[in-house]
């Protein structure tokens, strides 16, 4: 299972208890490194937010950790994804199986699994700065407390405070020109709980939904908006504003799209969609970034969570097999950069294709899309089939790797 951690790299400070934080903590535990997770919010928010489909490559990481069942209990299987046009005609089918799960419940399952294995999680610890002590680091938090470790890993998402603390000149996330909305409801107008996610290229946007075995419907919607919303603007937009706006956008689309939106009694949420191709370096001294803190993909290809999980196992292997953290961080970036940047570019391209602005474009799209969907399904296979071999040794980074 690989060598034990090198002497002097025995304690890690992890910033953020989302997806990467708990997964990384559990992998580090395997190689003898104690990781403590520090989360800025005061308490878990497990029931809020949108949902995602966790792909097979992400589920494989959970298999390696032995926690897949502990996470899967909070979701349901998507057995295939059907693509339709605004009239309800099926244009294609992707047979890939994924896990449909609320983001909050995914992080809950990961956090519970980590805590059950002895990982310490501290809430109300908003990260402010990090100092290097020569042979380690000291993290400082807004409440005045500190934490010491041999190294620090920023697992704090696309708007990472860690990133701009240690790399103040790093690029910022880019607004993709797409607004996402989502909701949860029940309706006898929707398709049954058959495991199929139905996604529609609508007249004024893109709509998808799936019915859970419990009868609850998870739905999402995307539409294009050139102007980037102000930070927090969509968070402040109430359900009573979202519902009529979305009904107006989808009144001419096939049944049951309007019926699903109409049946949603509360809680419609909206969010601007960002991505971040990468930054020149993911690490500096004894600080490293993982997941969305280092690179962020839009949700259009369903890989954000899986990329964070893959990062966690790869970084741990690097720390296991290489003599010092800085060398391990350089190897980690070298091993991951090409894969994640390719997926981020694919996500941006997919998002740009979700809306056709006129009848001619829609007609052309409906004619050619079945062909391109087949190519797309073929292209997703190497993404989904990717596996990180825990037992395989980590190669040393090239001398030119960024520091």
């Amino acid at each position: 299972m690989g060598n034990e951690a090198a002497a002097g790299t025995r304690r890690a400070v992890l910033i953020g208890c989302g997806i990467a934080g708990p997964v990384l903590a559990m992998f580090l535990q395997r190689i003898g490194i104690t990781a403590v997770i520090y989360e800025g919010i005061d308490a878990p928010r497990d029931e809020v937010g949108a949902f995602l489909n966790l792909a097979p490559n992400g589920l494989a990481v959970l298999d390696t950790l032995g926690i897949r069942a502990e996470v899967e209990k909070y979701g349901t299987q998507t057995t295939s994804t059907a693509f339709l046009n605004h009239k309800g005609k099926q244009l294609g089918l992707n047979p890939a199986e994924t896990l449909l799960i609320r983001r909050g419940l995914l992080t809950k399952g990961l956090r519970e699994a980590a805590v059950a294995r002895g990982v310490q999680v501290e809430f109300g610890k908003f990260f402010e700065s990090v100092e290097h002590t020569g042979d380690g680091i000291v993290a400082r938090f807004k409440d005045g407390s500190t934490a010491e470790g041999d190294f620090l890993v920023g697992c704090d998402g696309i708007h990472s405070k860690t990133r701009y603390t240690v790399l103040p000149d790093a690029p910022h996330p880019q607004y993709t020109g797409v607004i996402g909305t989502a909701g949860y409801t029940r309706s006898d107008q929707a398709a049954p709980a058959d495991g199929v996610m139905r996604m529609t290229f609508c007249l004024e946007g893109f709509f998808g939904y799936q019915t859970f075995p419990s009868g609850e419907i998870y739905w999402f919607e995307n539409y294009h908006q050139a102007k980037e919303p102000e930070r927090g603007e969509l968070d402040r937009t109430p359900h009573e504003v979202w519902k009529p706006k979305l009904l107006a956008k989808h009144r001419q689309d096939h049944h049951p799209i309007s019926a699903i939106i109409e049946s949603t009694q509360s809680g419609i949420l909206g969010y601007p969609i960002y991505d971040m191709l990468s930054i020149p370096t993911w690490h500096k001294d004894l600080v490293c970034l993982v997941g969305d803190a280092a690179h962020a993909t839009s949700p259009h290809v369903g890989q954000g969570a899986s990329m964070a999980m893959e990062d966690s196992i790869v970084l741990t292997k690097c720390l296991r097999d290489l003599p010092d953290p800085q060398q391990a961080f350089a190897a980690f970036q070298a091993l991951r950069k090409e894969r994640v940047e390719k997926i981020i570019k694919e996500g941006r391209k997919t998002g740009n294709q979700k809306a056709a602005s006129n009848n001619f474009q829609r007609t052309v799209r409906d004619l050619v899309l079945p062909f391109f969907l087949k190519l797309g399904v073929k292209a997703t296979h190497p993404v989904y089939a990717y596996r990180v071999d825990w037992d395989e040794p980590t190669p040393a980074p090239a001398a030119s790797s960024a520091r």
Side-chain angles (χ1 to χ4, degrees):
M1 296 292 278
N3 299 323
E4 286 297 303
T9 58
R10 308 304 295 179
R11 185 175 175 87
V13 172
L14 308 187
I15 306 300
C17 192
I19 293 171
V23 175
L24 179 58
M26 285 183 277
F27 275 119
L28 290 175
Q29 189 181 59
R30 281 192 171 191
I31 63 170
I33 297 177
T34 299
V36 179
I37 304 172
Y38 298 90
E39 170 58 51
I41 61 174
D42 293 331
R45 300 173 184 171
D46 298 331
E47 302 300 327
V48 302
F51 57 91
L52 56 87
N53 279 90
L54 186 58
N57 50 307
L59 292 169
V61 178
L62 302 185
D63 279 328
T64 302
L65 272 178
I67 65 168
R68 179 167 174 168
E70 296 170 60
V71 174
E72 281 189 327
K73 67 183 180 182
Y74 289 116
T76 195
Q77 189 177 48
T78 295
T79 56
S80 62
T81 301
F83 296 92
L84 300 84
N85 68 9
H86 70 284
K87 296 179 180 179
K89 178 184 177 181
Q90 184 167 310
L91 304 174
L93 187 75
N94 187 337
E97 296 185 358
T98 59
L99 177 70
L100 179 65
I101 187 170
R102 292 197 193 203
R103 177 173 289 274
L105 293 180
L106 172 59
T107 58
K108 177 183 180 180
L110 296 173
R111 185 185 71 249
E112 289 176 337
V115 171
R117 287 155 180 78
V119 173
Q120 182 180 346
V121 180
E122 294 195 20
F123 286 90
K125 297 294 182 181
F126 187 85
F127 173 75
E128 285 204 326
S129 66
V130 59
E131 298 176 12
H132 290 78
T133 61
D135 57 353
I137 58 92
V138 176
R140 299 189 182 278
F141 302 99
K142 190 174 182 179
D143 65 0
S145 62
T146 61
E148 296 183 10
D150 295 286
F151 59 88
L152 181 146
V153 182
C155 315
D156 47 347
I158 191 168
H159 299 292
S160 169
K161 178 68 183 297
T162 310
R163 181 199 306 135
Y164 297 115
T165 299
V166 298
L167 300 168
D169 297 325
H172 286 260
Q174 291 184 307
Y175 171 58
T176 63
V178 178
I179 301 296
T181 66
Y184 306 94
T185 188
R186 294 176 181 271
S187 172
D188 58 7
Q189 302 294 304
D194 55 4
V196 179
M197 170 71 75
R198 291 168 170 83
M199 296 187 180
T200 299
F201 293 89
C202 300
L203 288 173
E204 293 189 43
F206 189 83
F207 187 92
Y209 81 94
Q210 183 175 329
T211 305
F212 257 59
S214 66
E216 187 176 27
I217 299 165
Y218 283 30
W219 64 264
F220 76 93
E221 190 269 355
N222 298 153
Y223 65 88
H224 287 261
Q225 177 178 302
K227 183 180 179 182
E228 179 181 358
E230 295 291 330
R231 186 78 183 269
E233 176 185 342
L234 301 189
D235 293 334
R236 297 188 296 270
T237 303
H239 171 88
E240 292 73 21
V241 172
W242 281 120
K243 187 171 180 177
K245 181 175 183 174
L246 297 179
L247 285 170
K249 283 184 176 293
H250 295 284
R251 62 182 181 273
Q252 298 183 65
D253 295 318
H254 72 81
H255 184 77
I257 292 175
S258 290
I260 291 172
I261 297 171
E262 182 63 52
S263 69
T264 307
Q265 298 303 308
S266 63
I268 294 178
L269 54 93
Y271 44 93
I273 294 177
Y274 292 90
D275 65 16
M276 187 175 69
L277 183 59
S278 186
I279 54 180
T281 179
W282 301 357
H283 56 94
K284 183 178 180 181
D285 300 323
L286 295 173
V287 178
C288 188
L289 306 173
V290 298
D292 283 359
H295 51 78
T297 179
S298 59
H300 307 303
V301 291
Q303 279 293 311
S306 295
M307 290 297 99
M309 292 178 182
E310 288 183 5
D311 277 1
S312 300
I313 185 173
V314 173
L315 177 57
T316 304
K317 287 182 57 181
C318 292
L319 289 163
R320 178 192 69 191
D321 297 338
L322 298 172
D324 67 81
Q326 294 185 62
Q327 188 180 19
F329 296 162
F332 164 65
Q333 177 176 330
L335 289 168
R336 295 292 295 159
K337 200 169 192 292
E338 181 179 357
R339 174 168 167 80
V340 300
E341 290 195 349
K342 183 177 180 181
I343 289 170
I344 293 165
K345 290 176 181 177
E346 185 62 31
R348 175 68 73 102
K349 184 172 74 173
T350 301
N352 290 339
Q353 295 171 344
K354 282 188 172 180
S357 59
N358 56 54
N359 286 329
F360 175 75
Q361 288 182 356
R362 284 190 288 273
T363 300
V364 172
R365 180 195 64 199
D366 291 357
L367 287 172
V368 303
L369 194 62
F371 171 73
F372 283 108
L373 284 174
K374 289 180 181 178
L375 291 180
V377 170
K378 186 177 180 180
T380 61
H381 178 74
V383 176
Y384 286 178
Y386 181 85
R387 299 292 184 268
V388 179
D389 184 347
W390 174 252
D391 296 321
E392 183 181 18
T394 303
S400 60
S401 294
R403 285 279 177 136

Coordinates of all heavy atoms in Angstrom, one line a residue, residues 151-200:
F151 N 2.2 21.3 7.0 CA 1.8 22.0 5.7 C 0.3 22.3 5.8 O -0.4 21.8 6.7 CB 2.2 21.1 4.5 CG 1.5 19.8 4.5 CD1 0.3 19.6 3.9 CD2 2.2 18.7 5.0 CE1 -0.3 18.3 3.9 CE2 1.6 17.4 5.0 CZ 0.3 17.2 4.4
L152 N -0.1 23.1 4.8 CA -1.5 23.5 4.8 C -2.0 23.3 3.4 O -1.4 23.5 2.4 CB -1.7 25.0 5.2 CG -3.1 25.6 5.2 CD1 -3.2 26.7 6.3 CD2 -3.4 26.2 3.8
V153 N -3.3 22.8 3.3 CA -3.9 22.6 2.0 C -5.2 23.4 2.0 O -6.1 23.2 2.8 CB -4.2 21.1 1.8 CG1 -4.8 20.9 0.4 CG2 -2.9 20.2 1.9
G154 N -5.4 24.2 0.9 CA -6.6 24.9 0.7 C -7.6 24.1 0.0 O -7.4 23.8 -1.2
C155 N -8.7 23.7 0.7 CA -9.8 22.9 0.1 C -11.1 23.8 0.1 O -12.2 23.3 0.2 CB -10.0 21.7 0.9 SG -8.6 20.7 1.3
D156 N -10.9 25.1 -0.1 CA -12.0 26.0 0.2 C -12.7 26.6 -1.0 O -13.2 27.7 -1.0 CB -11.5 27.2 1.2 CG -10.2 27.8 0.8 OD1 -9.5 27.2 -0.1 OD2 -9.9 28.8 1.3
G157 N -12.7 25.9 -2.1 CA -13.6 26.2 -3.2 C -13.2 27.3 -4.2 O -12.1 27.8 -4.1
I158 N -14.1 27.6 -5.1 CA -13.8 28.4 -6.2 C -13.4 29.8 -5.8 O -12.6 30.5 -6.4 CB -14.9 28.4 -7.2 CG1 -14.5 29.1 -8.5 CG2 -16.2 29.1 -6.7 CD1 -15.5 28.9 -9.7
H159 N -14.0 30.3 -4.7 CA -13.6 31.7 -4.2 C -12.7 31.6 -3.0 O -12.8 32.3 -2.1 CB -14.9 32.4 -3.8 CG -15.9 32.6 -5.0 ND1 -15.6 33.5 -6.0 CD2 -17.1 32.1 -5.2 CE1 -16.6 33.4 -6.9 NE2 -17.5 32.6 -6.4
S160 N -11.7 30.7 -3.1 CA -10.8 30.3 -2.1 C -10.1 31.5 -1.4 O -9.4 32.3 -2.1 CB -9.7 29.4 -2.7 OG -8.7 29.1 -1.8
K161 N -10.2 31.6 -0.1 CA -9.4 32.6 0.6 C -8.0 32.2 0.7 O -7.1 33.0 0.7 CB -10.0 32.8 2.0 CG -9.2 33.8 2.9 CD -9.4 35.2 2.4 CE -8.6 36.2 3.3 NZ -9.0 36.3 4.7
T162 N -7.7 30.9 0.8 CA -6.4 30.4 0.8 C -5.6 30.8 -0.5 O -4.5 31.3 -0.4 CB -6.4 28.9 0.9 OG1 -7.2 28.5 2.0 CG2 -4.9 28.4 1.2
R163 N -6.3 30.7 -1.6 CA -5.6 31.0 -2.9 C -5.1 32.4 -2.9 O -3.9 32.7 -3.2 CB -6.6 30.8 -4.0 CG -6.0 31.1 -5.4 CD -7.1 31.4 -6.4 NE -8.0 30.3 -6.5 CZ -9.4 30.5 -6.6 NH1 -9.9 31.7 -6.5 NH2 -10.2 29.4 -6.6
Y164 N -5.9 33.4 -2.5 CA -5.5 34.8 -2.6 C -4.7 35.2 -1.4 O -4.0 36.3 -1.5 CB -6.7 35.7 -2.8 CG -7.4 35.3 -4.1 CD1 -8.7 34.8 -4.1 CD2 -6.7 35.4 -5.3 CE1 -9.3 34.4 -5.3 CE2 -7.3 35.1 -6.5 CZ -8.6 34.6 -6.5 OH -9.2 34.2 -7.7
T165 N -4.6 34.4 -0.4 CA -3.7 34.7 0.7 C -2.3 34.4 0.3 O -1.3 35.2 0.6 CB -4.1 33.9 2.0 OG1 -5.4 34.3 2.4 CG2 -3.2 34.2 3.1
V166 N -2.1 33.3 -0.3 CA -0.7 32.8 -0.6 C -0.3 33.2 -2.1 O 0.9 33.3 -2.4 CB -0.5 31.3 -0.4 CG1 -0.7 31.0 1.1 CG2 -1.4 30.5 -1.2
L167 N -1.3 33.4 -2.9 CA -1.0 33.7 -4.3 C -1.9 34.9 -4.7 O -2.8 34.8 -5.5 CB -1.3 32.5 -5.2 CG -0.6 31.2 -5.0 CD1 -1.2 30.1 -5.7 CD2 0.9 31.4 -5.4
P168 N -1.6 36.1 -4.2 CA -2.4 37.3 -4.4 C -2.6 37.7 -5.8 O -3.6 38.4 -6.1 CB -1.8 38.4 -3.5 CG -0.3 37.9 -3.4 CD -0.4 36.4 -3.3
D169 N -1.7 37.3 -6.7 CA -1.8 37.7 -8.1 C -2.5 36.6 -9.0 O -2.5 36.7 -10.2 CB -0.4 38.0 -8.7 CG 0.2 39.2 -8.0 OD1 -0.5 40.1 -7.6 OD2 1.4 39.2 -7.8
A170 N -3.0 35.6 -8.3 CA -3.7 34.5 -9.1 C -4.9 35.0 -9.8 O -5.6 35.9 -9.4 CB -4.1 33.4 -8.1
P171 N -5.2 34.4 -11.0 CA -6.4 34.8 -11.7 C -7.6 34.5 -10.9 O -7.7 33.7 -10.0 CB -6.3 33.9 -13.0 CG -4.9 33.4 -13.1 CD -4.4 33.4 -11.7
H172 N -8.7 35.3 -11.2 CA -10.0 35.1 -10.6 C -10.9 34.2 -11.4 O -10.7 34.1 -12.6 CB -10.6 36.4 -10.3 CG -10.0 37.2 -9.2 ND1 -10.5 37.2 -7.9 CD2 -8.9 37.9 -9.2 CE1 -9.7 38.0 -7.1 NE2 -8.7 38.4 -7.9
P173 N -11.9 33.5 -10.8 CA -12.8 32.7 -11.6 C -13.5 33.6 -12.6 O -13.7 34.8 -12.4 CB -13.8 32.3 -10.5 CG -13.1 32.3 -9.2 CD -12.1 33.5 -9.3
Q174 N -13.9 33.0 -13.7 CA -14.6 33.7 -14.8 C -16.1 33.3 -14.9 O -16.4 32.1 -14.8 CB -13.9 33.3 -16.1 CG -12.5 33.9 -16.3 CD -12.0 33.5 -17.7 OE1 -12.0 32.4 -18.1 NE2 -11.5 34.6 -18.4
Y175 N -16.9 34.3 -15.0 CA -18.3 34.1 -15.2 C -18.5 33.5 -16.6 O -18.0 34.0 -17.6 CB -19.1 35.4 -15.0 CG -20.5 35.3 -15.4 CD1 -21.4 34.4 -14.8 CD2 -21.0 36.2 -16.4 CE1 -22.7 34.4 -15.2 CE2 -22.4 36.2 -16.7 CZ -23.2 35.3 -16.1 OH -24.6 35.2 -16.5
T176 N -19.3 32.4 -16.7 CA -19.4 31.7 -18.0 C -20.5 32.2 -18.9 O -20.7 31.7 -20.0 CB -19.6 30.2 -17.8 OG1 -20.9 30.0 -17.1 CG2 -18.5 29.6 -17.0
G177 N -21.3 33.2 -18.4 CA -22.4 33.7 -19.1 C -23.7 32.9 -19.0 O -24.7 33.0 -19.7
V178 N -23.7 32.0 -18.0 CA -24.8 31.1 -17.7 C -25.3 31.2 -16.3 O -24.4 31.2 -15.4 CB -24.5 29.6 -18.0 CG1 -25.7 28.7 -17.7 CG2 -24.0 29.4 -19.5
I179 N -26.6 31.3 -16.1 CA -27.2 31.3 -14.8 C -27.8 30.0 -14.5 O -28.5 29.4 -15.4 CB -28.3 32.4 -14.7 CG1 -27.7 33.8 -14.9 CG2 -29.0 32.3 -13.3 CD1 -26.7 34.3 -13.9
G180 N -27.6 29.4 -13.4 CA -28.2 28.1 -13.0 C -29.3 28.3 -12.0 O -29.2 29.2 -11.1
T181 N -30.4 27.6 -12.1 CA -31.4 27.6 -11.1 C -31.7 26.1 -10.8 O -31.4 25.2 -11.5 CB -32.7 28.3 -11.5 OG1 -33.3 27.6 -12.6 CG2 -32.4 29.7 -12.0
A182 N -32.3 25.9 -9.6 CA -32.7 24.5 -9.2 C -33.8 24.5 -8.2 O -34.0 25.5 -7.5 CB -31.4 23.8 -8.6
G183 N -34.5 23.4 -8.1 CA -35.5 23.3 -7.1 C -35.9 21.8 -6.8 O -35.4 20.9 -7.5
Y184 N -36.7 21.6 -5.9 CA -37.2 20.3 -5.4 C -38.7 20.3 -5.3 O -39.3 21.3 -4.8 CB -36.5 19.9 -4.1 CG -35.0 20.0 -4.1 CD1 -34.4 21.1 -3.7 CD2 -34.2 18.9 -4.6 CE1 -33.0 21.2 -3.7 CE2 -32.9 19.0 -4.7 CZ -32.2 20.2 -4.2 OH -30.9 20.3 -4.2
T185 N -39.4 19.3 -5.8 CA -40.8 19.3 -5.8 C -41.4 17.9 -5.9 O -40.6 16.9 -5.9 CB -41.4 20.2 -6.9 OG1 -42.8 20.3 -6.8 CG2 -41.1 19.5 -8.3
R186 N -42.7 17.8 -5.9 CA -43.4 16.5 -6.2 C -44.5 16.9 -7.2 O -45.2 17.9 -7.0 CB -44.0 15.9 -4.9 CG -42.9 15.5 -3.9 CD -43.5 14.9 -2.6 NE -42.5 14.5 -1.7 CZ -42.0 13.3 -1.6 NH1 -42.4 12.4 -2.5 NH2 -41.0 13.0 -0.8
S187 N -44.7 16.0 -8.1 CA -45.7 16.2 -9.1 C -46.1 14.9 -9.8 O -45.2 14.2 -10.2 CB -45.3 17.3 -10.2 OG -46.2 17.4 -11.2
D188 N -47.4 14.7 -10.0 CA -47.8 13.5 -10.7 C -47.8 13.7 -12.2 O -48.1 12.8 -13.0 CB -49.2 13.1 -10.3 CG -50.3 14.2 -10.5 OD1 -49.9 15.2 -11.1 OD2 -51.4 14.0 -10.1
Q189 N -47.3 14.9 -12.6 CA -47.2 15.1 -14.1 C -45.8 14.7 -14.6 O -45.6 14.5 -15.8 CB -47.3 16.6 -14.3 CG -48.6 17.2 -13.9 CD -49.8 16.7 -14.6 OE1 -49.8 16.8 -15.9 NE2 -50.7 16.1 -13.9
A190 N -44.9 14.5 -13.7 CA -43.5 14.1 -14.1 C -43.4 12.6 -14.5 O -44.2 11.8 -14.1 CB -42.5 14.5 -13.1
A191 N -42.3 12.3 -15.1 CA -42.0 10.9 -15.4 C -41.8 10.1 -14.1 O -41.4 10.7 -13.0 CB -40.7 10.8 -16.2
P192 N -42.0 8.8 -14.1 CA -41.8 8.1 -12.8 C -40.3 7.9 -12.4 O -39.4 8.3 -13.2 CB -42.4 6.7 -13.2 CG -42.2 6.6 -14.7 CD -42.4 8.0 -15.2
A193 N -40.1 7.3 -11.3 CA -38.7 7.1 -10.8 C -38.1 5.9 -11.5 O -38.0 4.8 -11.0 CB -38.8 6.8 -9.3
D194 N -37.7 6.1 -12.8 CA -37.2 5.1 -13.6 C -35.7 5.1 -13.8 O -35.1 4.4 -14.6 CB -37.8 5.1 -15.0 CG -37.7 6.5 -15.7 OD1 -37.0 7.4 -15.1 OD2 -38.3 6.7 -16.8
G195 N -35.0 6.1 -13.0 CA -33.6 6.2 -13.0 C -33.1 7.0 -14.2 O -31.8 7.2 -14.3
V196 N -33.9 7.6 -15.0 CA -33.5 8.4 -16.1 C -33.5 9.9 -15.8 O -34.5 10.4 -15.3 CB -34.5 8.2 -17.3 CG1 -34.0 9.0 -18.5 CG2 -34.5 6.7 -17.7
M197 N -32.4 10.6 -16.1 CA -32.4 12.0 -16.0 C -32.8 12.5 -17.4 O -32.1 12.2 -18.4 CB -31.0 12.5 -15.6 CG -30.7 14.0 -15.8 SD -31.6 15.0 -14.6 CE -30.5 14.7 -13.1
R198 N -33.8 13.4 -17.4 CA -34.3 13.9 -18.7 C -33.8 15.4 -18.9 O -34.2 16.2 -18.0 CB -35.8 13.8 -18.8 CG -36.3 12.3 -18.9 CD -37.8 12.2 -18.7 NE -38.2 10.8 -19.0 CZ -38.1 9.7 -18.2 NH1 -37.6 9.9 -17.0 NH2 -38.5 8.6 -18.6
M199 N -33.1 15.6 -19.9 CA -32.6 17.0 -20.1 C -33.1 17.5 -21.5 O -33.0 16.8 -22.5 CB -31.0 17.0 -20.1 CG -30.4 16.6 -18.8 SD -28.6 16.8 -18.9 CE -28.2 16.2 -17.2
T200 N -33.6 18.7 -21.5 CA -34.2 19.3 -22.6 C -33.5 20.6 -23.1 O -33.3 21.5 -22.3 CB -35.7 19.6 -22.4 OG1 -36.4 18.4 -22.0 CG2 -36.4 20.3 -23.6

